[in-house]
Amino acid sequence: MIASNASWIEKNAPSRESFCILALLSMLIGAPAFLMIRLLEPELLLPAFSILLFSDAAILAIVARINSENVTLWDIAGAFTVVGCAAAIFSEPDQVALFFEQPVAQPPDTPL
């Protein structure tokens, strides 16, 4: 019984690769998100976070394409894309224009 548990632990032990992936994801999200929170105005955080998640999803998709047997990376890239879309949806067009420093022109009110 003990020998079977030992072989099960050896087969299912977390690998060094999973730790490296966790460290990569932490660096891809944590450091830029911290800098964005400290440096950007509050109304610019959602557009910037959306762009950050889209770029991280692209990086993970490239890594998953190279390492095709790892399905988890595809799942995480998809999750980043979905959260990036949600951040883009919740941000307003004026906030995105402020992020790219392009003034938004309001059309004049004309009666119908």
Side-chain angles (χ1 to χ4, degrees):
M1 181 86 170
I2 293 174
S4 64
N5 286 339
S7 65
W8 183 84
I9 289 172
E10 286 179 16
K11 281 195 284 188
N12 295 323
S15 66
R16 184 176 210 104
E17 181 182 344
S18 63
F19 178 75
C20 292
I21 290 171
L22 179 64
L24 173 70
L25 293 177
S26 298
M27 292 302 295
L28 284 175
I29 295 293
F34 178 75
L35 288 174
M36 285 188 319
I37 291 171
R38 300 292 291 165
L39 299 176
L40 292 177
E41 298 174 16
E43 61 268 3
L44 300 178
L45 284 179
L46 280 176
F49 191 63
S50 173
I51 292 170
L52 172 70
L53 286 174
F54 284 136
S55 62
D56 288 345
I59 291 170
L60 278 176
I62 291 170
V63 171
R65 179 77 172 161
I66 293 170
N67 189 6
S68 62
E69 71 268 358
N70 197 350
V71 178
T72 306
L73 290 178
W74 285 110
D75 296 336
I76 295 172
F80 282 173
T81 303
V82 169
V83 174
C85 288
I89 289 170
F90 284 123
S91 64
E92 296 180 14
D94 294 341
Q95 295 170 343
V96 177
L98 281 174
F99 184 73
F100 289 110
E101 297 180 351
Q102 297 173 356
V104 175
Q106 295 289 336
D109 292 334
T110 57
L112 295 173

